[in-house]
Amino acid sequence: AGEIRRFLRDDGMLKVSRSLKETAGRAAAAREQLEKKLGREPTMEELSGEVGITREEIVLAMEAAAEVESLHRPVYQ
Amino acid sequence: MEQTNEMMIEFDSRSCNESFARVAVAAFMTQLNPTLEEVADVKTALSEAVTNAIVHGYENEIKKVTVSCSISGQVLTLTVSDKGVGIADIARAMEPLFTTKPDTERCGMGFAFMEAFMDDVQVKSAVGQGTAVTMKKRIGRIAGEYHD
Amino acid sequence: MEQTNEMMIEFDSRSCNESFARVAVAAFMTQLNPTLEEVADVKTALSEAVTNAIVHGYENEIKKVTVSCSISGQVLTLTVSDKGVGIADIARAMEPLFTTKPDTERCGMGFAFMEAFMDDVQVKSAVGQGTAVTMKKRIGRIAGEYHD
Ligand SMILES: Nc1ncnc2c1ncn2[C@@H]1O[C@H](COP(=O)(O)OP(=O)(O)O)[C@@H](O)[C@H]1O
Ligand SMILES: Nc1ncnc2c1ncn2[C@@H]1O[C@H](COP(=O)(O)OP(=O)(O)O)[C@@H](O)[C@H]1O
Ligand SMILES: [Mg+2]
Ligand SMILES: [Mg+2]
C-alpha cells in the first residue's frame, strides 16, 4: 500500500511542475501569437482569455517556470 | 530541525482580491513541495474562509482581511481573520448546511469544506469583534522523504 | 473615477520568500490588466528592493520585510520596507555602481534598475531605524483602452 501511495503521490508531484510548466508554455505561445495578430503586446486580459486561465494563475505559472529554469540551469551547464 | 517560515497578507475585502490571496498562499506553500491536489485543497479551504470574512464578517463593507501563513517542518498553518460582526454560536455555524444567508448562493457548506480539505480547523470569534479561522495541513508524501 | 484597492504582505527576510513576494505583487497588479512586460518590469524592481532589505537592511538576519501595494486609477504604488540598519547617504547609495558590498555578487545597480523599470522611485531611510523604498508605475500604455 505504501508503494502504491508513493507511486500516486509521485505522479501527483510530477503533475505540479508539469501543469505549471504547461500553463507557462501555453501562455508564452499565446503571447507570441497574439502579439503577431495585434501588432502589440497583449494585455493580461487578452492572454487569460486565450489561455482560459485566470490572470493570477498565469503569473504564478510563469514565476514557477522561471524558478524551475533557474534552479536547473546550473545542473545542465 | 524544524525550520519555520512566516508570511502575512492583508487586503481589502473585495471579492476581486480572492484570487490574489489564493495565488499568494499557493506561491508560499510551494516551498513545501506540495502535490497539485494539496495546493488545490488549501486553495479551496482558503477561498471559503476569505469569502466568509467578506460576505458574513464585513457584510460586503470594504475593510481589511488578513491571512497569516506559516510553515513549520511539513505543516502549513493558515489563519484567516476579519474584524467584522463575529459569530455568536460557533458550533452551530460549523454544522454542515447551517447558513445565516440562505437567500444567496451560499449553501452552508463552507466550514464543512474547510474541515474536509484541511487536517484541523479551529474558529475563534467574538460578536462585534471579529473572527479568526486557523487551519492546518501536513504537506508531503511519506515520512522521511523530506529533509527538514 | 479612481477606484483604490490595497494589499500588504509581510514576510521573513529569507531569500526563498522573494519568489512569493514577486508572485503576490504580480497577481495583485493583474487587476490593472498589464502586459507581461509590465509585470516583468515590476517584478525586477521589486526583487531589487527586497534583496536590498534582506542583504543590506538586515544583513541576512531573519526579520520582517513588508511590501505595501496600492492601485489607484491605472497607477501601481509599491513600498518595500525594512526596519534594518538604514542608509546614511541616500543620494550616494542611489548612484549607479555604488555599493557597500563589492565583495559579493552585488554590482551596485539595484537602484538604477528600480529607476529604469518604474516611473518614480523615492527612498526614505534613517540610520538604525530602517528603509522604505516607494515606487510608482503607470500601467496601460495602449491609449484609449483604459478608463481612469
Ligand atoms: N467570518 C465570519 N464572520 C461572521 N459570521 C461567519 C463568518 N464565517 C462564517 N460565519 C457564519 O457561519 C455560517 C456558516 O458558514 P459556512 O459554513 O461558510 O456557510 P455559508 O457561508 O454558505 O453560510 C454563515 O452563514 C455565517 O453565519
Ligand atoms: N534596504 C537597505 N538598507 C540599507 N542599505 C541599503 C538598502 N538598500 C540599499 N542600501 C545601500 O545602497 C547601496 C546600493 O544599493 P544597490 O543600488 O541595490 O546596489 P547593491 O545592492 O548591488 O549594493 C547598497 O550597497 C547599500 O549600501
Ligand atoms: Mg461560507
Ligand atoms: Mg541591491
Side-chain angles (χ1 to χ4, degrees):
Chain A
E3 278 307 305
I4 293 169
R5 234 179 102 211
R6 186 190 298 269
F7 173 78
L8 289 174
R9 290 299 205 181
D10 272 346
D11 192 44
M13 275 299 311
L14 278 178
K15 280 190 289 187
V16 165
S17 55
R18 220 191 262 155
S19 100
L20 285 174
K21 255 195 192 162
E22 193 207 89
T23 301
R26 279 200 289 146
R31 178 193 195 175
E32 216 170 285
Q33 190 206 320
L34 282 170
E35 205 164 336
K36 263 186 208 142
K37 194 170 107 188
L38 303 167
R40 58 163 169 79
E41 246 221 296
T43 63
M44 286 301 309
E45 187 179 28
E46 292 162 340
L47 259 185
S48 144
E50 185 72 24
V51 182
I53 287 172
T54 65
R55 306 170 191 194
E56 288 88 348
E57 293 290 341
I58 288 176
V59 298
L60 174 64
M62 299 203 81
E63 172 72 20
E67 279 278 289
V68 167
E69 215 174 83
S70 68
L71 279 178
H72 286 183
R73 208 176 288 134
V75 180
Y76 295 120
Q77 262 170 6
Chain B
M1 194 198 69
E2 298 261 284
Q3 224 209 340
T4 300
N5 191 13
E6 287 181 350
M7 68 88 163
M8 190 266 274
I9 64 181
E10 186 188 85
F11 52 91
D12 288 350
S13 53
R14 299 178 194 277
S15 53
C16 65
N17 289 332
E18 281 187 37
S19 187
F20 148 72
R22 274 197 299 270
V23 164
V25 169
F28 186 73
M29 77 176 281
T30 57
Q31 296 173 16
L32 285 169
N33 204 12
T35 64
L36 206 55
E37 204 183 315
E38 287 167 334
V39 175
D41 289 355
V42 170
K43 282 161 98 179
T44 303
L46 176 76
S47 290
E48 292 295 336
V50 170
T51 303
N52 281 355
I54 296 174
V55 174
H56 303 299
Y58 291 133
E59 300 185 292
N60 296 310
E61 263 189 273
I62 307 302
K63 304 252 176 93
K64 300 294 180 194
V65 179
T66 304
V67 179
S68 316
C69 202
S70 75
I71 286 173
S72 182
Q74 284 297 126
V75 177
L76 177 76
T77 304
L78 282 183
T79 300
V80 178
S81 321
D82 66 67
K83 295 198 172 7
V85 299
I87 304 175
D89 184 342
I90 297 174
R92 185 135 186 253
M94 292 179 79
E95 277 170 20
L97 301 175
F98 177 84
T99 179
T100 49
K101 291 211 174 22
D103 45 321
T104 66
E105 76 269 35
R106 322 271 89 234
C107 59
M109 291 300 286
F111 281 121
F113 280 176
M114 294 179 231
E115 293 191 307
F117 289 118
M118 303 293 282
D119 297 338
D120 185 55
V121 179
Q122 300 292 334
V123 180
K124 283 193 181 167
S125 190
V127 173
Q129 291 185 52
T131 301
V133 178
T134 299
M135 302 181 272
K136 287 181 194 287
K137 189 178 180 76
R138 181 169 197 91
I139 305 295
R141 299 170 286 178
I142 286 139
E145 201 163 336
Y146 294 105
H147 318 278
D148 49 7
Chain C
M1 193 201 68
E2 298 261 285
Q3 222 209 340
T4 300
N5 190 13
E6 288 180 349
M7 71 90 164
M8 192 265 274
I9 63 180
E10 186 188 85
F11 52 92
D12 287 351
S13 54
R14 298 178 194 277
S15 54
C16 64
N17 289 332
E18 284 188 34
S19 175
F20 150 71
R22 277 197 298 270
V23 171
V25 169
F28 186 74
M29 78 175 280
T30 60
Q31 294 176 16
L32 284 169
N33 197 19
T35 62
L36 283 178
E37 205 183 312
E38 288 168 328
V39 173
D41 289 354
V42 170
K43 281 165 81 177
T44 303
L46 175 76
S47 290
E48 292 296 336
V50 171
T51 303
N52 281 354
I54 296 175
V55 174
H56 304 298
Y58 291 132
E59 300 186 292
N60 297 310
E61 262 190 273
I62 307 303
K63 303 252 175 96
K64 299 294 179 194
V65 178
T66 304
V67 180
S68 316
C69 203
S70 75
I71 285 172
S72 182
Q74 281 300 126
V75 177
L76 176 76
T77 304
L78 282 183
T79 300
V80 178
S81 320
D82 66 67
K83 295 199 171 10
V85 298
I87 304 175
D89 185 342
I90 296 173
R92 185 135 187 256
M94 291 179 80
E95 277 169 21
L97 300 177
F98 177 84
T99 179
T100 48
K101 290 212 173 23
D103 45 320
T104 65
E105 77 270 35
R106 321 271 91 232
C107 59
M109 292 300 286
F111 281 122
F113 280 175
M114 293 179 230
E115 291 190 308
F117 290 118
M118 301 294 282
D119 298 336
D120 185 56
V121 179
Q122 300 293 333
V123 180
K124 284 194 181 163
S125 190
V127 172
Q129 290 185 51
T131 301
V133 178
T134 299
M135 303 181 270
K136 285 181 196 286
K137 190 179 180 74
R138 182 170 196 86
I139 303 297
R141 295 160 305 169
I142 306 149
E145 198 167 337
Y146 297 107
H147 319 276
D148 48 8

